[in-house]
Amino acid sequence: MDPVIVVGAGPVGLTLALLLARQEVPCVVLDEGPGKDEPRPARTVVLREDTAALLERLTGVALAEQGVRWAGWRSLRRKQVMSEITFEEADPAAPLHIAQHVLTHALRSAATAEPLVRLAVDSRMDAIEQERSGVSAHTRGPGGTWWRGSYLVGCDGTRSTVRKLQDIRFPGRTAVERHAVAALRAELPWAGQALLHRMPSWRQSGPSAGEVTARPLPDGVWRLDWLLPPGKDLVTPELLVARIRETLAAWTGGATPAYELLDTGVHTVHHRVARRWRAGRVFLAGDAAHLLGALGTQGLDEGLRDADNLAWKLAVSWHRGPHETLLDSYQAERRAVVAARLRAADQVLPVLRGGGGLRTMVPGTARGHDALLSDGHLGRGPLGAPGAYADSPLAPLLLEAEIPVGTPPGAQVTDVRVTAEDGSFVQLRDRFDRGALLVVLIAPGTGVWDRKHWVSAGVMPRLAAAVSALPHPAELLVAESYPGAPAHSVLLVRPDGHLVTAQSGVRPADLYSAAEAAVGGAVKQEAEVGSAAP
């Protein structure tokens, strides 16, 4: 069967290619550039716990050693400390700040070493043709040619050629926020901590800037972002240097300390969502499908979750034939999550930035506003937390044995230690992205006994038989405990780590129904659910 064509060799495209290879699907990555990433210290990304772990699984690189996990978070308003959070050393829940070119290099190196991934550099795509059995893409350049694929995914950024060729609209808001950005080496009072300073008390050079953010990088480097007022005022080098000097002087309580300016830029945030994320055998992911980033949220995080969601669904269809419900669920799940995050940002922007609107209708305190901004920067709440697929078309029908646990259906499961089928102890997260469903039995005490003593006892033989009969390959794992899950409960987890259902005991029929729904074989119909209502 033809490989999957991935258009774009940024972090999202390379992540998708590696995820497909992990599930034994070959792919071709069309890179319009020369295959080298220009170092830009002021172009950085903040990764949340789940996306950082995903990239570490794919690259084998300890990204925390290439970037900085925040030691803490400090929020100031004028001179008052509004909130302060301290993260334990090496706490995976701490956001990870890393230069984008460092991240892309790690992904590109992993892709180059992967036999199932072919990187085609200097290959700018300019045409797409779809057929019932596949898709073709034409590239121009020194090696201009037609590429044949089973599916094509546009990960080609804001000005996506794939999106334009498929005539997909990209509505939304332009220039929601603008930031002047500088990367510099300096010694600040908050070593390793990220800082949000709102309404600083010192006089700002030029047009008023009501907010500045500082985020640490390795080797004493910091990225500073100054929120700019609405409009298109030119950010001159002189203005930026003046802001750097007075900001550093105010933070250090005296004259401007010594610093080395490494890079500058202007970052403009747009909010847009593509009308469609699928057109036949063509899909959109990352910035080609959505743009967000106001109030500290991170667009790359969502792009990586796009890749994680889509990869296993393409793999199922590549290995076992097209599953239209499964493929359609990519747009249904991911677009709903991104749209909800954008709605949340649009609702609070007037409150936080002023200018009427909700500010005149919604009561709130400075501390409450600070909490909203902290959510975006720290990856919490409606602005920042990973989305759940509660209303997914892959959700199973109502199951008699279903029970609530600490993770709601559709959300990503908590990472716990599990025993694999070979008796080894691994983290549950390490079994993600291999294409198999995961069935996790909660069995207290199994961690202290040799596997041979319990693998053939109790409910294990019945559960093992039920797992082997599922309509999709599945791996049986055993955990001593799981948040909110009673003993002998069974969790069914998707290949991308999202919970399908938790059941009380071993119920082969319910487990089979849930697994069938999870891979697109059964769909929750409103009419069916509604018919049970009085």
Side-chain angles (χ1 to χ4, degrees):
M1 190 171 175
D2 295 318
V4 173
I5 299 173
V6 178
V7 183
V12 175
L14 293 170
T15 295
L16 178 62
L18 290 169
L19 282 165
L20 289 168
R22 189 174 169 97
Q23 296 168 72
E24 300 182 348
V25 176
C27 67
V28 174
V29 180
L30 303 181
D31 182 359
E32 70 176 32
K36 296 181 180 179
D37 305 296
E38 178 187 359
R40 285 292 310 276
R43 192 176 186 187
T44 65
V45 296
V46 177
L47 300 174
R48 313 307 188 200
E49 180 183 10
D50 61 321
T51 50
L54 166 65
L55 295 177
E56 290 188 340
R57 290 196 300 273
L58 296 178
T59 63
V61 174
L63 294 178
E65 298 176 3
Q66 306 290 321
V68 169
R69 284 200 184 278
W70 297 352
W73 166 262
R74 180 187 292 254
S75 179
L76 303 177
R77 186 173 186 269
R78 294 190 174 93
K79 295 182 179 181
Q80 181 183 5
V81 177
M82 303 298 291
S83 65
E84 191 167 7
I85 297 172
T86 301
F87 295 107
E88 297 296 329
E89 186 175 356
D91 184 350
L96 173 64
H97 190 210
I98 187 170
Q100 184 162 320
H101 70 270
V102 172
L103 175 61
T104 305
H105 176 74
L107 288 164
R108 191 183 294 276
S109 297
T112 301
E114 173 52 61
L116 290 176
V117 177
R118 178 179 179 181
L119 294 172
V121 300
D122 296 317
S123 298
R124 183 177 178 82
M125 192 201 65
D126 58 7
I128 298 174
E129 292 183 359
Q130 287 201 61
E131 303 170 7
R132 185 183 183 94
S133 59
V135 60
S136 298
H138 183 265
T139 55
R140 63 185 185 217
T145 187
W146 281 97
W147 301 85
R148 178 70 177 173
S150 53
Y151 299 95
L152 183 147
V153 186
C155 305
D156 50 343
T158 304
R159 297 178 175 85
S160 170
T161 300
V162 173
R163 188 184 65 240
K164 294 173 183 176
L165 289 174
Q166 296 304 297
D167 196 25
I168 297 174
R169 294 182 58 202
F170 199 38
R173 301 173 59 195
T174 300
V176 176
E177 289 185 349
R178 288 173 69 235
H179 298 261
V181 181
L184 51 89
R185 183 175 284 108
E187 186 175 341
L188 296 184
W190 309 283
Q193 290 189 349
L195 169 73
L196 171 67
H197 196 162
R198 301 184 68 210
M199 303 178 67
S201 56
W202 65 87
R203 183 184 66 82
Q204 293 285 342
S205 298
S208 174
E211 185 175 298
V212 58
T213 306
R215 288 174 278 214
L217 286 164
D219 303 321
V221 176
W222 294 80
R223 170 172 165 168
L224 273 60
D225 291 61
W226 292 266
L227 177 67
L228 297 173
K232 298 182 179 179
D233 295 317
L234 183 65
V235 182
T236 64
E238 294 78 14
L239 174 62
L240 188 54
V241 168
R243 284 195 171 166
I244 292 172
R245 292 180 62 83
E246 64 187 15
T247 299
L248 296 183
W251 283 348
T252 55
T256 302
Y259 70 93
E260 179 186 0
L261 183 59
L262 304 175
D263 192 18
T264 63
V266 175
H267 174 54
T268 303
V269 175
H270 310 287
H271 279 180
R272 296 184 180 276
V273 181
R275 291 289 191 197
R276 293 180 293 141
W277 293 25
R278 181 189 181 192
R281 289 179 174 266
V282 175
F283 299 81
L284 301 176
D287 285 352
H290 50 77
L291 296 175
L292 67 164
L295 307 177
T297 58
Q298 296 293 318
L300 179 59
D301 254 13
E302 296 301 339
L304 296 174
R305 293 181 185 121
D306 293 344
D308 201 19
N309 184 288
L310 180 58
W312 74 273
K313 297 171 182 179
L314 287 176
V316 170
S317 297
W318 195 90
H319 286 294
R320 308 182 69 185
H323 282 48
E324 295 304 313
T325 300
L326 187 62
L327 294 175
D328 283 343
S329 72
Y330 165 65
Q331 172 177 307
E333 292 179 344
R334 291 299 307 147
R335 193 178 189 280
V337 166
V338 171
R341 197 177 306 291
L342 286 177
R343 283 195 300 272
D346 286 342
Q347 287 172 354
V348 302
L349 266 168
V351 177
L352 295 174
R353 303 303 188 215
L358 288 179
R359 187 181 182 87
T360 63
M361 298 180 288
V362 179
T365 64
R367 199 168 296 277
H369 295 171
D370 172 78
L372 288 171
L373 275 170
S374 295
D375 281 351
H377 284 278
L378 296 173
R380 306 182 305 193
L383 285 179
Y389 310 135
D391 298 320
S392 168
L394 304 181
L397 298 168
L398 297 178
L399 302 171
E400 181 180 349
E402 189 167 48
I403 58 172
V405 295
T407 302
Q412 192 169 81
V413 295
T414 300
D415 189 29
V416 296
R417 192 179 80 155
V418 295
T419 306
E421 293 179 346
D422 62 1
S424 62
F425 293 111
V426 297
Q427 291 301 121
L428 177 57
R429 187 174 272 162
D430 292 338
R431 316 310 281 186
F432 295 173
D433 309 312
R434 299 184 176 204
L437 295 170
L438 304 176
V439 179
V440 184
L441 172 67
I442 311 305
T446 50
V448 298
W449 295 97
D450 192 289
R451 181 175 181 272
K452 65 183 180 182
H453 295 306
W454 52 259
V455 71
S456 59
V459 300
M460 278 298 292
R462 187 164 179 246
L463 179 58
V467 170
S468 66
L470 293 180
H472 185 80
E475 181 179 10
L476 177 56
L477 304 166
V478 179
E480 282 246 22
S481 63
Y482 186 87
H488 305 131
S489 55
V490 175
L491 311 183
L492 179 64
V493 182
R494 298 181 352 173
D496 59 355
H498 287 258
L499 181 67
V500 179
T501 184
Q503 301 183 1
S504 174
V506 179
R507 308 289 184 94
D510 278 1
L511 190 62
Y512 187 97
S513 296
E516 185 180 41
V519 294
V523 185
K524 178 170 65 175
Q525 301 289 343
E526 289 187 6
E528 292 175 318
V529 176
S531 65

